[in-house]
Amino acid sequence: MGELSNLKGIGPKSEKCLIEVGIRTEQQLREVGAIRAFIKLKEECSTAPSLNFLYALARMFHPFLNLAGDMAKLGWFALTGNQTS
């Protein structure tokens, strides 16, 4: 196990995915941020991340984060790739 899997909410599989996309340290993860890290994982990782992984990343750094409000600014489409009807 590396540095990332010592963080609450990041297990060995999540750490492997983060390393795959070039995020190897807590500092790098903090610099990228939860939402950008999730998008990077979605675009570049061989294993697609779930929205639960995004929630874990967001809560790790911002326990009282209004995630729904932040998503509204960015747009769910950017994160899920789904089109609304």
Side-chain angles (χ1 to χ4, degrees), residues 5-51:
S5 61
N6 291 326
L7 300 172
K8 184 175 181 179
I10 303 290
K13 290 180 184 178
S14 298
E15 179 181 47
K16 181 180 175 187
C17 289
L18 288 166
I19 290 171
E20 183 179 330
V21 300
I23 300 171
R24 293 176 171 76
T25 66
E26 179 180 357
Q27 181 62 33
Q28 288 174 324
L29 184 55
R30 288 187 181 279
E31 289 171 3
V32 171
I35 294 173
R36 286 192 182 114
F38 180 81
I39 292 171
K40 190 170 180 68
L41 288 164
K42 188 166 173 43
E43 293 175 348
E44 300 174 23
C45 187
S46 60
T47 304
S50 68
L51 285 177

